[in-house]
Amino acid sequence: MKKYNDIIIGFGKGGKTLAGYLASTGRKVAMIEMDKGMYGGTCINVGCIPSKSLVTSGLNLKKGGAARTFEQKAALYADAMVEKRRLTSMLRQKNYAKLADSPNIDVIDGRASFLSNTLVEVKTESAVLTLEAEHIFINTGSASFIPPIPGLKDNPLVHDSRSLMELDHLPRRLAIIGGGYIGLEFASMYTNFGSQVTVLQDLPAFAPREDQDVSETLTKLLTAKGIKLLAGTKVSGVKSQESSALISYTQDGQELELEVEAILVATGRRPNLAGLNLEAAGVAVTSRGAVQTDAFLKTTAPNIWAMGDVTGNLQFTYTSLDDYRIVKGQLSGQSSYDLTQRKNVPFSVFIDPPFSRVGLSEGEARAAGRQIKVARLPAAAIPKAQVLRQPNGLLKAVIDEPTGLILGAALICEESYEMINLIKLAMDNGIKYTALRDMIFTHPTMSESLNDLFNV
């Protein structure tokens, strides 16, 4: 048995950052990772970075000329895959070296399972190890959820987001089951590459959590790209053929079929707890299958914490990093920051043009009984949007009328993923909307549109 000060299970954003901090204080740390392809976590290997690399390549292909044949586009898609793999491999190696080169960190490749709240068994390729530590941190992330639809499981033509981004050939026809943000982002990306994309959504509308004007704008933009959006559908089964798959579904009482070369299942992700044997450590799980924690991310075992997707909170790499800040504050005694103090968390969907949101929607604000005024601006009114030749979209903000504070914003426009951070900064610091209305921005930029948006 080998003893450590700390054991971290999972090489994700929160865990790897914590490992570096703990090692810098002289503590001996074991970092356990079961997948050598996941050093650094989901984001750099199978999430944000590879998908945005492909999004960028797809946009460049789209801008380069729509007159290319499918075969030419497929060749450029293969080139994009090569670049994506180069990028992720480089980042993975850098993340590995950053920890493995530390004299206070042992990176152990293997599958972890709790024996008690202080003992962890690790099955490696060559041995079974027993590790002991006073503090243990669970950072095992999440896994794609595949619904129990006949024909999906073990079908080589069926993919989650990870396996689709490893596909060497461009599918001529792609079906996406699930019309959430991940599904829509992949629909936009593969359409830009040249695939014929159909999205099957069981709910009656796309982006149903958004206000109607935002949802309708998103639907209109995606449809204009050539994406076939089928709402209110129920997929009943998938049958494999020689080189294609036949999807059976119902819509408006009709039984229909769709033939495609590839299927992406984008029906969400679930906390990854398989094989951890949490019961042995006294770590409770919620009814939704996540590790149960308090506001300081401490589990029901007094010396065990959880961070990232495994907690069942927002599944973003930047919230995992914020989880690290919470845990570090307790270990160092320098901060009392906890989940209850976490402020507005923005997100972006890298469709074309991108969609970004933070805070309350108009509907949510009205349902909460807030007295509000709503600001709207068409993207076509922004000079920089015209320069970028992407005048489509909508900017919308919700303002608390009595105080002048910004309650939320939804931006569908070029560079919205940068602009949303300005709005979050104002919201987090209690800055009134008039400050953005009256701020002097450089020109021509997308952010200067906040002058006009907040001129209400």
Side-chain angles (χ1 to χ4, degrees):
M1 177 166 47
K2 190 165 184 179
K3 294 186 177 182
Y4 293 88
N5 298 117
D6 308 288
I7 294 173
I8 300 173
I9 306 173
F11 205 139
K13 183 67 171 181
K16 70 179 183 184
T17 313
L18 181 64
Y21 163 71
L22 293 171
S24 73
T25 67
R27 296 176 68 85
K28 190 66 177 174
V29 181
M31 167 61 77
I32 305 169
E33 175 54 56
M34 69 177 185
D35 186 345
K36 294 180 181 179
M38 290 294 286
Y39 298 139
T42 296
C43 177
I44 69 165
N45 291 292
V46 299
C48 322
I49 299 302
S51 64
K52 302 319 168 275
S53 175
L54 292 175
V55 164
T56 300
S57 294
L59 286 170
N60 289 340
L61 174 57
K62 175 188 172 187
K63 293 172 183 176
R68 291 192 178 101
T69 66
F70 178 79
E71 288 71 22
Q72 290 171 321
K73 291 180 178 180
L76 292 169
Y77 170 81
D79 292 341
M81 279 293 174
V82 172
E83 169 57 20
K84 186 266 301 184
R85 288 173 183 145
R86 181 205 65 78
L87 176 62
T88 55
S89 177
M90 178 268 292
L91 291 173
R92 185 184 310 120
Q93 182 56 36
K94 283 193 172 184
N95 274 265
Y96 175 79
K98 192 171 184 179
L99 296 193
D101 291 350
S102 168
N104 288 334
I105 300 175
D106 289 340
V107 178
I108 302 171
D109 299 316
R111 184 177 288 272
S113 179
F114 282 98
L115 299 175
S116 71
N117 69 314
T118 58
L119 297 176
V120 174
E121 179 183 86
V122 184
K123 293 181 179 178
T124 71
E125 292 179 354
S126 58
V128 177
L129 311 176
T130 300
L131 312 181
E132 183 179 14
E134 56 185 293
H135 294 156
I136 301 176
F137 307 89
I138 305 169
N139 186 221
T140 49
S142 59
S144 296
F145 170 70
I146 306 297
I149 296 172
L152 285 187
K153 190 176 181 181
D154 299 324
N155 187 327
L157 299 178
V158 175
H159 302 272
D160 62 9
S161 57
R162 178 175 184 174
S163 65
L164 186 65
M165 287 193 292
E166 289 300 322
L167 198 62
D168 286 313
H169 64 278
L170 179 66
R172 187 179 292 271
R173 293 170 296 180
L174 171 67
I176 299 177
I177 300 175
Y181 298 127
I182 292 177
L184 296 181
E185 184 168 295
F186 273 77
S188 180
M189 177 204 309
Y190 274 84
T191 297
N192 286 340
F193 276 120
S195 297
Q196 298 173 18
V197 179
T198 302
V199 183
L200 300 123
Q201 159 84 302
D202 56 353
L203 297 172
F206 287 88
R209 290 183 292 177
E210 305 302 332
D211 293 328
Q212 185 176 351
D213 53 353
V214 173
S215 176
E216 288 178 351
T217 300
L218 290 170
T219 301
K220 183 179 179 180
L221 288 171
L222 292 168
T223 301
K225 286 173 61 69
I227 300 169
K228 194 173 183 180
L229 300 175
L230 303 179
T233 63
K234 179 176 176 57
V235 177
S236 56
V238 175
K239 292 181 181 178
S240 292
Q241 303 183 123
E242 185 175 342
S243 58
S244 63
L246 199 63
I247 302 174
S248 299
Y249 66 98
T250 58
Q251 185 180 38
D252 299 328
Q254 288 185 295
E255 295 185 2
L256 303 165
E257 290 182 329
L258 174 66
E259 185 177 8
V260 295
E261 284 74 44
I263 300 170
L264 168 63
V265 180
T267 49
R269 298 177 66 86
R270 303 289 186 271
N272 187 13
L273 305 180
L276 283 177
N277 192 27
L278 296 176
E279 299 86 354
V283 175
V285 176
T286 70
S287 59
R288 297 177 64 85
V291 174
Q292 181 179 319
T293 73
D294 62 13
F296 290 97
L297 297 172
K298 187 169 282 189
T299 71
T300 49
N303 63 315
I304 300 176
W305 289 258
M307 299 180 292
D309 293 0
V310 77
T311 65
N313 296 322
L314 293 171
Q315 295 179 352
F316 300 124
T317 191
Y318 42 91
T319 51
S320 183
L321 178 61
D322 201 53
D323 286 352
Y324 152 74
R325 296 185 186 110
I326 291 173
V327 173
K328 177 190 175 185
Q330 296 165 70
L331 299 177
S332 66
Q334 296 175 352
S335 171
S336 60
Y337 176 61
D338 66 13
L339 288 174
T340 66
Q341 300 170 66
R342 178 174 287 168
K343 295 185 179 180
N344 308 283
V345 178
F347 67 86
S348 293
V349 186
F350 287 76
I351 56 176
D352 179 24
F355 167 53
S356 302
R357 182 133 104 70
V358 66
L360 298 179
S361 67
E362 178 185 356
E364 290 168 338
R366 293 193 188 282
R370 306 295 290 263
Q371 184 181 346
I372 63 172
K373 55 183 175 181
V374 178
R376 290 182 180 86
L377 181 73
I382 307 171
K384 183 62 181 291
Q386 297 289 347
V387 170
L388 295 172
R389 300 178 188 176
Q390 180 55 282
N392 301 308
L394 171 70
L395 289 72
K396 181 176 181 179
V398 181
I399 300 162
D400 184 68
E401 195 157 24
T403 64
L405 297 176
I406 304 168
L407 299 177
L411 311 178
I412 308 170
C413 64
E414 285 292 340
E415 302 178 15
S416 67
Y417 42 79
E418 299 288 358
M419 297 163 62
I420 203 70
N421 295 313
L422 280 173
I423 296 177
K424 171 186 165 51
L425 184 65
M427 293 172 65
D428 286 357
N429 291 280
I431 298 172
K432 295 182 179 182
Y433 79 95
T434 51
L436 293 177
R437 181 195 67 189
D438 300 334
M439 181 174 171
I440 298 175
F441 292 91
T442 54
H443 172 81
T445 59
M446 291 299 296
S447 57
E448 70 175 330
S449 64
L450 299 179
N451 288 155
D452 294 327
L453 174 63
F454 287 108
N455 189 23
V456 291

